[in-house]
Amino acid sequence: MTKKSKGGKEDKTAIETKSKSVSGKSQKQKKPVEKEEELIQESGTDSDYDGDSLSGSLNSDDFDSDIFESEDDVTQGGTEEDGGDGESSQDELLDHEGSIDSEDGDDGSEQIDSDNIEEEDGSDEASDRDEAVEESDSSEDEVAPRNTVGDVPLNWYKDEKHIGYDITGKKITKKERQDKLDSFLASMDDSKNWRKIIDDYNDEEVELTKEESKMVRRLLKGQAPHADFDPYADYVDWFKWTDAIHPLSSAPEPKRRFIPSIWEAKKVVKLVRRIRMGLIKVKKPEEEPEEGPVPYLLWDALTSDQKNKHLTYIPPPKLKLPGHEESYNPSLEYIPTEEEKASYELMFEEDRPKLIPTRFTCLRSIPAYENALKESFERCLDLYLCPRIRKKRINIDPESLKPKLPSRKDLRPYPNSCYLEYKGHTGAVTSISTDSSGQWIASGSTDGSVRIWEVETGRCLKVWQFDEAIKFVAWNPLSSLPVLAIAMGRDLFFLNTELGNDEEQEVIKEMFHSGNIPEPEASVAAIVTWLSDELYGGIKIRHFKNISSIDWHRKGDYLSTVMASGETRGVVLHQLSKKKTQRLPFKIRGLPVCTLFHPSLSYIFVATRKDVRVYNLLKTGLATKKLETGMREISSMAIHPGGDNLIVGSKEGKMCWFDMDLSSKPYKTLKNHPKDITNVAVHRSYPLFASCSEDSTAYVFHGKVYNDLNQNPLIVPLEILRGHSIKGGVLDCKFHPRQPWLFTAGADSIIKLYCH
Amino acid sequence: MDVDGEDVSRRLHVKFVTKLDSPFKVPVNSVAIPSNVTRLGLSSIVNSIIQSDNPEWKTEPFDFLIDGELIRMSLEEFLLAKGISAERTLEIEYIRAVAPRKEEEPSLHDDWVSAVNGSSPRFILTGCYDGLGRVWSSAGSCSHILEGHSGAISSVAVVNSKDAETVTVATASKDRTLRLFKFDADESVDSSTRVTAYKILRGHKASVQSVSAQKSGDMVCSSSWDCTINLWNTNQSTSEGESVPVKKRKGNNQADESQSEGEAVTTLVGHTQCVSSVVWPEHDVIYSASWDHSVRRWDVETGKDSLNLFCGKALNTVDVGGEGSALIAAGGSDPILRVWDPRKPGTSAPVFQFSSHSSWISACKWHRSSWYHLLSASYDGKIMLWDLRTAWPLSIIETHNDKVLSADWWKGENVISGGADSNLRISSGIAIS
C-alpha cells in the first residue's frame, strides 16, 4: 500500500485528477485490507465458506456486496499467491464463471498492465519504475481522505443517507449501489471489474491498477512493495565522524555529567568494602622490569635512586628575578643620578653595576641590546668551559662567627671621657704611678722632673728636678710608707714624698739617714752601689748599666730593677729596709725587659724579649713556667690581681692575655694598635685592663676573670681613648686604684685622667 | 605700650602679677601682647608699663612664671609645650631675673683658693692652698689671716657668728688637722691681722677634705681621705678631758700656750673611700658624699647611716636645701648636678639632673632662703645658677679663667667663688626674692 501512495505522489504533479483518484484508491485499498481481516474474523464460523466462496458467491444472490468484494479481493490475492496453482484455479474459476476472461494468467495480467499504462500514463513507464525504487516509503504525503468523520465504525452511518462529511463540511451522500445482478453483469462485461473495490469509507469505487495489484501481491508475500527494492543494499554512512567542531546538539550539557554518580559511589564503596574484607583479591599490576639506563633530568631535583647511585647533584643555577630596575620605564628612585653615574666610572670594571637603569617612554623606543651577541657568546663559552665539579662551599653567615659579646653599656663603669688634665711638665711624661689610696699621682718626665699631683684637683704638689730624663717612677705600694722610687739613667732614687703623718715621716727619715748604709756584699758590689742623695735627702743606688724598669714587691720592701743590657746580671732585687741588694737566685736566659712580682705568691715574672718566664723566688733553679708569647719584642707586662692572668704588650702592637691555668700559649692575642704598645695596665678591683701605644691612643678592655675554672676569661674591647697629640704617642697608662679611671701620660707632656 | 601697636598674628591676653614690692608693681588689668614674645619681650613690656607710671625707672630684667614654670622659650611655644589654653587671660607672675648685675673686684690670694664660705653676712671666709685662711670683710679687703696649717686648706666653715664679739671658724687642711680660730669680725684695721688657732683637732689619718659646723656651733664634723667622718667639740674648755693642753710638741717650733688639742668625739665609719664633702644642716643629721659613689645621711646620736643613695660617680660635693631643707644636691666626677628627694619612697633616682657643665663639679650650694635656687661650680671655670623650675641655667658666671674650686652664696644676693686662678670673685646683685 505504500507503493500505492508512492505511485500517487509521483503522479501528483503530472495529472492532478489522476492523482486524486489514485490517492483515493490508496485509501480505499488500505481500508479494505483491514476490513478483510475483520470480516475474515467475523466470518470465522463458516470457514469452509472460504473454500468455496467463489462458488458460494456465485451461487448466492443476496450476498453482501461488501463481502463479496472482499472475498473477491482475497481470492484474488490468494490466487496470486499461489502462483501457478492460483492461476489454474483462477482459470478454473474464470472458466467456471464463464464470463471471466480466458486469457487470464501472466499474459493477461501483462495485458492489463499495459492497458493500465496506456490508460494512465503511457509516456514514461521506465522512469516511473526507477523513481519507485528510489522513493522512500514514507506515508507523509498521503492524500487526506475525502471523508472527514475520522476513524469511526461505518455502521454508525448505516441508516443515514450520507456517509460522512467532506473537507468543506458538506455531507457526502451515499451513492446508489448496484444491485448484485448488475454488478455480476458488470463483472461479466468487464474483465477488469474484479479489480474494482468499493471504498466504503469514502463511498467510492476504486480500481486497482495492475501494478498496484502486483504490489499488493508482494505485500501479501511479506516482501518489499517495490520489486526493485534491494533489502540487502550496502550501508552508506553519510555522517562524517571526524572534524566535527560543533556539537551535534546545541542542548546544554546536563547537570548529571558534572555530579559524581551516587550509584557509582555506592558501587565503589561496596567494592572497596569487599576488597577490604578480602572477598575480592586484587592483583597487583606487574611492574615492567627496567631495561638499560634510565634517562633523568640533569637539573632536576635529586631523587633517592640517583643518590644511591652516587650521582653528583648539581643544583640548577638560579638567576635573580628581574626587578623594577630592569623595567624599561623604572621608577625615578632606581635611576642613578649623574654623580652616581660618575662614581660608576671610577669603579673597577668588575665592581661596576651590570645594568644601569634607564628610562624609555615607551617600549618602541628601546634600542637593540648592544651586548646581546657578546653576552650570548660568553654564555656559550661559559657553558663550554664550565667545570662539572661541585665546589665545596661553607655557607655560614659571617655575623654568626663573631663571638657574642655583651653590650658595652652593660659593662660600665669604664673610663671614657677626659675631664682632668695635669699640666706642668715640659718634656714627655715617661712614667706615672698612683699611690695606694688614689689621692696622689706621681709622674716622671724627660725634662728631668718628678712631680706629685693631687688627683682630685690637678694641682701639682711637689716637684723634684733632676739632671737626667726620668725613666721610671713607682710608688711604694704600702700606704704607710709614702716613698717614691725613681729610675733615671743608671741611678735609682728613693724619695720621701712627705705625705705621711708624723710617725711615718720619722720612719722614713730614719730609713733614709745617710749614716747607716751597710757595706755592700761582694757578690753585688760590681753591680750596684748604695749612696745617699744629698739633694733631696733620699737614697741613691747606682747600677752598672742603665735601668729600664723597676717593680715594687707588694710588701713594699723589695724592689726589682731591670737593666736591659745587663744580660745575666740584668735583674737585681733591692731590699729597702736593710739597704741590701741581691741577685736573682737563678740564671736569666736572654735579655730581660721587665719584671713583675706575683700579686700574692712569691713568684717573679721575668720578661725577656720573646717570652716570659715564671720563677719561684723561694726555690733556686729553673723557671717553673715558660710562657710563649710568639711576639717579636715584649715591651711591658701587667698581672691581673688574681695572679693567674698575665697581659703582655709587645712592640708590634699586639697584646697577649695569658691564662696561666689554661696554657703556656696566649689565651687571646689582641691586635689593635698600629704602633708599639708602650704599656699595659690592669685595674686592681674593676674588671678592666688597658693598653697604651705610640699611636697616641689608649684602649680600654673589659677583662673579667671568673672564679669558675671552667669558664674562660671574658675580654671585650670597650673604648679607644684619644686626646693626646699625635707626636710621640702615649707613654704610660695607669688605673686609679679605686675608681674606674685611667691616667695616661703622653709625650705631649700632659697627663690625662679619663673618668667613667 | 609700643609693642601693642605692632601687627602680629596672634595676641594673648595676659595679666602681670608679682609678689614684689611697690616699685615693681604694675596695674593688674590685662593687656594684649603678641604670642611670639620671649622672656626679653615680656621683660621690656613690664619695664615699659612700670616706666609709664614711674618716669625715673631704670630698666630691670625680669623672669616670668606661668603656673610655677619659668618661661625659657617664646610664649607661644611654652603654651603649646605645656598645653595651656591661649584663650583665657593668662596670669604671668614676674620676678626679678636671677643674674648677677655687678662684678666686684677680685681678691687676689697667694695660691689657689680652695674653699670659700659666705654663711656669715659680715665677712667672707676663704681657704687657700698656701695653708692660710683669710677673712674678707668686703671685696679686696682682707681683715684677718688665719695661720697655722702646714698643708693646703681644703675646707672652711663658720662655726659661730651669732656672737657679736668674736666669731669662731674652722678650717680643714690636707695636713690632716682641723683648726679652730676666734677673731673679732667687726674690728676694722687697715692691715690684716694674723690669727692663730685656739684649738687644733688632730685625729684624721689622711687629708681632711671637708668641714661643717653644727647650727648651734658646739660641734663640727669633718670628713677625710681616711674614709671617716669625725665629730669634734668646739669649746675651749678642757674640763671633759677630751682635749689636752699642749705646752710644747716635739718638733713643733711654734709653741703657743693658748693652743689646745682636741680629739674626735665620735667617728662615723661606713664610707669605703675618701669622704669628700660633709654638711650638717640639722641638729643631729649629717649628710656626706664620698668617692665611693654614695651619699649618706648619718644620725649623729646613733652614729649609723640612715640613708644611702647610690650615684654611680665619685662625688665631690653635697648640699642639702630646697623645699623643706630636704633635697640633696650633689656633684662629682661628671658634669651632671643631681638633686635627690629622699622623701620620695622606693626610688633612688635623682629627681633633677642639670647637665650644662662640661667638667667635674666642684661645688654646689643651695640658696639659703629660696627653695628653688642653687649654684654649681665646675672645673670648666663656670658657675651656674639653677632654678628647679627650669632645666636651663638661669645664668652662667664665667669670671674665673681656671677651675672653680669652691663657691657659695653670700648675703643672699652675692655669689662668691674661689678657683685655681687664685682669686676670690664676688658676683653681686642677684635678686632672689
Side-chain angles (χ1 to χ4, degrees):
Chain A
M1 72 192 179
T2 44
K3 171 73 193 104
K4 179 119 226 134
S5 72
K6 178 162 313 136
K9 186 191 177 184
E10 164 189 302
D11 299 337
K12 199 161 72 181
T13 48
I15 307 147
E16 211 171 8
T17 51
K18 183 69 193 168
S19 82
K20 239 182 184 173
S21 72
V22 167
S23 72
K25 257 188 250 173
S26 75
Q27 281 288 352
K28 197 181 169 190
Q29 200 161 37
K30 183 178 164 187
K31 292 293 166 189
V33 172
E34 290 168 4
K35 219 151 271 174
E36 276 164 30
E37 286 166 3
E38 267 175 55
L39 287 174
I40 286 164
Q41 282 166 6
E42 274 172 20
S43 58
T45 46
D46 40 6
S47 57
D48 47 349
Y49 169 75
D50 252 355
D52 50 358
S53 62
L54 281 174
S55 57
S57 69
L58 287 174
N59 297 336
S60 63
D61 291 335
D62 51 350
F63 258 142
D64 193 28
S65 63
D66 286 346
I67 295 168
F68 170 79
E69 278 165 12
S70 66
E71 275 185 352
D72 185 17
D73 234 346
V74 169
T75 28
Q76 236 177 30
T79 50
E80 292 277 302
E81 275 172 29
D82 293 337
D85 297 339
E87 269 174 36
S88 61
S89 71
Q90 198 170 12
D91 288 346
E92 202 179 12
L93 171 96
L94 285 173
D95 289 341
H96 178 71
E97 278 175 333
S99 62
I100 297 171
D101 50 349
S102 61
E103 70 274 36
D104 206 330
D106 284 340
D107 298 335
S109 64
E110 269 171 17
Q111 198 185 352
I112 293 166
D113 273 345
S114 63
D115 290 349
N116 196 19
I117 289 157
E118 277 162 15
E119 249 182 12
E120 289 178 4
D121 193 3
S123 60
D124 200 354
E125 192 193 1
S127 70
D128 184 17
R129 289 196 172 190
D130 290 341
E131 279 180 9
V133 170
E134 284 167 13
E135 281 289 319
S136 73
D137 46 357
S138 84
S139 59
E140 63 184 359
D141 20 345
E142 216 172 304
V143 175
R146 200 161 58 98
N147 191 357
T148 58
V149 290
D151 193 11
V152 295
L154 284 174
N155 56 353
W156 290 0
Y157 291 94
K158 197 171 63 183
D159 301 330
E160 301 294 330
K161 281 187 176 169
H162 62 280
I163 191 76
Y165 304 90
D166 66 358
I167 201 159
T168 54
K170 283 178 182 167
K171 286 177 181 172
I172 302 167
T173 48
K174 282 179 184 168
K175 280 182 183 161
E176 199 69 25
R177 281 290 163 92
Q178 288 179 300
D179 56 349
K180 300 285 178 200
L181 191 62
D182 288 343
S183 65
F184 177 73
L185 286 175
S187 64
M188 284 295 120
D189 293 344
D190 190 359
S191 63
K192 290 176 190 171
N193 198 33
W194 63 272
R195 283 190 205 154
K196 285 184 183 158
I197 298 163
I198 293 164
D199 181 3
D200 286 331
Y201 189 73
N202 291 324
D203 196 21
E204 275 176 344
E205 201 175 51
V206 179
E207 191 182 316
L208 293 177
T209 60
K210 197 170 189 185
E211 200 183 335
E212 280 169 339
S213 64
K214 277 185 183 169
M215 201 184 283
V216 168
R217 270 187 208 124
R218 276 197 295 272
L219 282 172
L220 286 172
K221 281 181 191 168
Q223 290 171 337
H226 285 274
D228 304 329
F229 178 72
D230 181 10
Y232 308 111
D234 290 334
Y235 177 67
V236 180
D237 194 1
W238 52 271
F239 183 73
K240 279 192 286 177
W241 292 93
T242 54
D243 301 335
I245 56 163
H246 296 295
L248 287 176
S249 158
S250 63
E253 289 275 282
K255 188 183 174 186
R256 64 175 177 277
R257 298 211 180 136
F258 302 103
I259 49 174
S261 159
I262 297 168
W263 184 86
E264 251 173 38
K266 279 182 181 170
K267 202 81 181 163
V268 167
V269 166
K270 202 182 239 175
L271 283 171
V272 166
R273 204 169 285 153
R274 306 200 74 186
I275 289 170
R276 283 211 189 123
M277 287 165 74
L279 298 175
I280 302 174
K281 299 276 184 218
V282 185
K283 273 186 189 173
K284 278 182 187 170
E286 285 178 19
E287 283 180 17
E288 286 183 13
E290 289 178 7
E291 291 170 9
V294 183
Y296 63 92
L297 290 172
L298 180 67
W299 300 112
D300 209 7
L302 195 63
T303 61
S304 59
D305 288 354
Q306 286 150 21
K307 233 177 224 168
N308 294 341
K309 284 174 187 167
H310 307 292
L311 281 172
T312 316
Y313 171 61
I314 304 165
K318 274 186 186 132
L319 290 174
K320 191 182 144 267
L321 291 173
H324 289 294
E325 65 270 25
E326 271 95 0
S327 163
Y328 74 92
N329 191 7
S331 306
L332 276 176
E333 63 259 29
Y334 292 105
I335 293 171
T337 59
E338 287 303 318
E339 294 116 52
E340 282 173 331
K341 277 183 187 162
S343 70
Y344 293 157
E345 291 301 312
L346 296 175
M347 285 179 178
F348 287 110
E349 200 162 341
E350 290 83 33
D351 303 335
R352 228 175 271 166
K354 291 271 184 300
L355 181 124
I356 297 167
T358 16
R359 268 189 103 109
F360 299 102
T361 48
C362 58
L363 264 174
R364 200 153 35 97
S365 55
I366 303 171
Y369 184 47
E370 67 268 23
N371 289 336
L373 194 65
K374 189 178 157 225
E375 279 187 3
S376 54
F377 172 71
E378 278 173 356
R379 174 71 180 154
C380 290
L381 209 60
D382 284 349
L383 289 173
Y384 172 58
L385 296 173
C386 171
R388 289 281 182 267
I389 295 171
R390 178 136 64 163
K391 245 185 199 172
K392 299 270 184 209
R393 276 216 185 88
I394 306 170
N395 194 9
I396 295 177
D397 181 21
E399 286 296 315
S400 70
L401 293 176
K402 277 191 189 168
K404 291 243 176 343
L405 291 181
S407 158
R408 290 200 305 170
K409 281 180 188 169
D410 304 336
L411 303 175
R412 284 192 284 203
Y414 57 87
N416 51 18
S417 47
C418 175
Y419 292 120
L420 272 179
E421 291 181 350
Y422 305 87
K423 290 178 186 167
H425 281 294
T426 52
V429 184
T430 50
S431 178
I432 47 176
S433 177
T434 56
D435 88 311
S436 59
S437 66
Q439 193 182 3
W440 315 105
I441 179 169
S443 65
S445 161
T446 51
D447 62 5
S449 64
V450 173
R451 286 169 184 258
I452 290 180
W453 311 84
E454 194 182 18
V455 168
E456 187 190 354
T457 55
R459 158 113 187 166
C460 179
L461 204 71
K462 272 195 170 65
V463 186
W464 292 275
Q465 187 65 45
F466 296 94
D467 302 331
E468 261 182 288
I470 311 295
K471 180 76 180 159
F472 218 97
V473 292
W475 277 93
N476 191 309
L478 290 186
S479 58
S480 60
L481 199 67
V483 169
L484 205 56
I486 297 152
M488 72 188 88
R490 291 163 59 191
D491 296 336
L492 177 72
F493 281 88
F494 292 107
L495 290 179
N496 183 7
T497 60
E498 296 166 16
L499 288 172
N501 56 27
D502 298 342
E503 292 78 21
E504 290 160 7
Q505 285 301 318
E506 300 259 325
V507 171
I508 292 167
K509 277 186 182 137
E510 184 68 25
M511 190 187 284
F512 286 180
H513 195 259
S514 57
N516 47 15
I517 291 176
E519 282 297 305
E521 291 174 27
S523 60
V524 292
I527 303 171
V528 291
T529 324
W530 286 71
L531 303 165
S532 73
D533 177 40
E534 284 78 25
L535 184 59
Y536 296 112
I539 297 173
K540 183 162 82 174
I541 308 171
R542 175 146 292 185
H543 295 67
F544 78 110
K545 287 279 162 52
N546 279 351
I547 301 167
S548 60
S549 155
I550 53 176
D551 184 45
W552 281 100
H553 187 254
R554 66 179 186 280
K555 283 175 183 163
D557 197 18
Y558 287 97
L559 180 90
S560 71
T561 315
V562 177
M563 293 161 281
S565 50
E567 294 179 353
T568 52
R569 297 180 293 175
V571 182
V572 287
L573 291 180
H574 306 289
Q575 193 178 9
L576 187 58
S577 56
K578 291 182 181 166
K579 299 189 181 61
K580 260 172 59 182
T581 301
Q582 62 191 73
R583 284 170 58 185
L584 282 183
F586 34 78
K587 203 177 158 191
I588 309 287
R589 293 166 189 274
L591 298 176
V593 175
C594 55
T595 57
L596 205 59
F597 286 101
H598 193 280
S600 51
L601 304 169
S602 60
Y603 287 105
I604 186 167
F605 297 84
V606 180
T608 57
R609 290 198 145 205
K610 299 242 166 164
D611 37 43
V612 179
R613 284 184 168 81
V614 190
Y615 296 95
N616 192 339
L617 285 169
L618 301 177
K619 285 187 203 159
T620 56
L622 292 173
T624 54
K625 201 170 239 178
K626 184 183 166 192
L627 304 174
E628 293 159 11
T629 60
M631 296 189 289
R632 277 203 296 278
E633 197 172 351
I634 293 171
S635 64
S636 52
M637 277 193 301
I639 190 155
H640 190 267
D644 283 336
N645 295 276
L646 185 78
I647 296 158
V648 179
S650 83
K651 288 207 171 170
E652 63 215 89
K654 275 189 200 166
M655 184 163 51
C656 291
W657 176 290
F658 284 98
D659 190 338
M660 278 172 284
D661 290 332
L662 204 68
S663 143
S664 62
K665 297 262 168 41
Y667 160 65
K668 210 150 251 183
T669 305
L670 305 161
K671 174 91 179 77
N672 288 318
H673 291 285
K675 288 188 181 173
D676 299 11
I677 288 179
T678 49
N679 223 321
V680 289
V682 182
H683 201 281
R684 225 170 62 177
S685 48
Y686 286 90
L688 294 170
F689 66 99
S691 67
C692 59
S693 157
E694 285 181 3
D695 61 6
S696 74
T697 60
Y699 280 71
V700 180
F701 301 89
H702 176 87
K704 175 120 182 140
V705 176
Y706 297 94
N707 288 329
D708 183 6
L709 285 175
N710 291 327
Q711 207 165 2
N712 284 330
L714 173 74
I715 296 172
V716 184
L718 290 176
E719 191 77 38
I720 304 172
L721 303 176
R722 301 171 206 274
H724 285 287
S725 70
I726 295 298
K727 208 173 74 182
V730 184
L731 300 181
D732 199 1
C733 64
K734 284 278 180 330
F735 277 105
H736 190 276
R738 291 180 176 185
Q739 302 284 350
W741 300 345
L742 185 75
F743 297 96
T744 55
D748 52 359
S749 75
I750 297 172
I751 303 163
K752 281 175 182 277
L753 170 60
Y754 291 90
C755 303
H756 64 287
Chain B
M1 278 171 279
D2 48 349
V3 205
D4 231 16
E6 280 177 31
D7 189 33
V8 278
S9 54
R10 274 184 82 182
R11 287 183 172 271
L12 295 168
H13 290 275
V14 298
K15 205 190 278 179
F16 290 105
V17 293
T18 186
K19 289 172 187 149
L20 296 171
D21 291 332
S22 83
F24 296 104
K25 278 211 189 300
V26 291
V28 212
N29 41 24
S30 87
V31 289
I33 57 163
S35 63
N36 56 355
V37 290
T38 55
R39 188 185 71 133
L40 192 68
L42 287 169
S43 193
S44 67
I45 291 168
V46 172
N47 271 311
S48 59
I49 294 171
I50 299 172
Q51 205 160 28
S52 61
D53 295 344
N54 184 0
E56 57 262 18
W57 171 259
K58 279 171 79 183
T59 311
E60 171 79 31
F62 289 106
D63 248 327
F64 298 88
L65 292 152
I66 295 177
D67 296 346
E69 291 254 13
L70 280 169
I71 301 170
R72 276 291 176 273
M73 38 189 125
S74 87
L75 203 53
E76 201 172 26
E77 290 170 37
F78 183 87
L79 295 182
L80 203 65
K82 300 291 170 194
I84 301 169
S85 162
E87 302 297 321
R88 64 186 173 88
T89 305
L90 275 176
E91 209 165 89
I92 301 181
E93 187 188 348
Y94 62 95
I95 52 173
R96 298 180 68 190
V98 176
R101 286 157 179 78
K102 201 179 153 200
E103 200 57 50
E104 306 280 335
E105 199 146 302
S107 314
L108 190 66
H109 290 64
D110 295 339
D111 211 331
W112 292 12
V113 180
S114 57
V116 293
N117 191 304
S119 54
S120 164
R122 286 186 285 171
F123 58 88
I124 302 164
L125 184 62
T126 65
C128 180
Y129 262 81
D130 60 2
L132 300 176
R134 288 178 176 81
V135 179
W136 305 82
S137 53
S138 64
S141 65
C142 174
S143 61
H144 296 86
I145 293 176
L146 315 173
E147 56 181 21
H149 280 296
S150 59
I153 288 176
S154 55
S155 179
V156 291
V158 175
V159 179
N160 193 352
S161 61
K162 289 191 186 74
D163 194 351
E165 296 280 310
T166 55
V167 175
T168 313
V169 297
T171 58
S173 163
K174 293 190 196 295
D175 66 0
R176 299 175 297 279
T177 62
L178 294 107
R179 281 167 199 248
L180 298 173
F181 298 89
K182 267 198 175 118
F183 58 90
D184 186 1
D186 290 335
E187 112 190 276
S188 54
V189 278
D190 297 333
S191 61
S192 47
T193 324
R194 291 188 168 257
V195 182
T196 53
Y198 73 91
K199 193 168 183 182
I200 304 166
L201 307 174
R202 294 179 200 271
H204 280 297
K205 297 184 196 67
S207 306
V208 187
Q209 279 296 100
S210 176
V211 63
S212 183
Q214 203 185 13
K215 280 267 168 62
S216 63
D218 294 335
M219 291 181 94
V220 291
C221 66
S222 67
S223 68
S224 158
W225 263 93
D226 61 9
C227 315
T228 59
I229 300 164
N230 280 3
L231 272 58
W232 318 82
N233 274 327
T234 56
N235 55 347
Q236 209 165 1
S237 71
T238 58
S239 58
E240 287 168 38
E242 287 165 349
S243 55
V244 248
V246 279
K247 291 274 162 43
K248 236 177 211 174
R249 230 190 121 74
K250 194 171 77 179
N252 199 349
N253 303 342
Q254 34 174 10
D256 197 323
E257 309 309 311
S258 67
Q259 270 185 338
S260 62
E261 288 203 8
E263 282 181 7
V265 180
T266 321
T267 303
L268 306 175
V269 184
H271 281 294
T272 55
Q273 287 193 46
C274 156
V275 186
S276 52
S277 181
V278 68
V279 283
W280 197 337
E282 287 164 53
H283 178 71
D284 53 357
V285 178
I286 293 174
Y287 290 87
S288 67
S290 163
W291 277 32
D292 64 5
H293 308 172
S294 67
V295 176
R296 292 181 197 220
R297 182 173 66 199
W298 302 88
D299 193 329
V300 177
E301 299 293 320
T302 60
K304 297 267 163 46
D305 56 331
S306 55
L307 178 78
N308 192 343
L309 285 173
F310 183 75
C311 165
K313 307 275 172 174
L315 293 170
N316 286 330
T317 176
V318 69
D319 197 18
V320 179
E323 189 184 350
S325 290
L327 299 180
I328 303 169
S333 65
D334 68 339
I336 300 169
L337 176 70
R338 295 178 176 81
V339 179
W340 287 271
D341 191 347
R343 298 167 299 183
K344 253 190 186 174
T347 175
S348 63
V351 288
F352 295 104
Q353 295 203 21
F354 301 111
S355 51
S356 292
H357 281 295
S358 60
S359 187
W360 284 20
I361 288 169
S362 53
C364 67
K365 286 277 179 196
W366 288 94
H367 193 267
R368 285 187 182 84
S369 55
S370 166
W371 278 5
Y372 303 113
H373 295 91
L374 73 160
L375 65 82
S376 68
S378 164
Y379 284 173
D380 60 7
K382 292 172 188 165
I383 298 156
M384 293 190 184
L385 306 180
W386 301 95
D387 192 311
L388 292 186
R389 295 169 290 189
T390 181
W392 285 272
L394 292 177
S395 67
I396 301 169
I397 302 168
E398 287 176 283
T399 51
H400 287 280
N401 46 25
D402 206 340
K403 298 182 191 98
V404 185
L405 299 176
S406 179
D408 199 0
W409 298 95
W410 186 44
K411 293 200 281 197
E413 56 174 14
N414 302 303
V415 168
I416 53 174
S417 59
D421 59 355
S422 311
N423 276 326
L424 165 72
R425 299 221 174 228
I426 305 167
S427 307
S428 60
I430 301 165
I432 293 176
S433 48

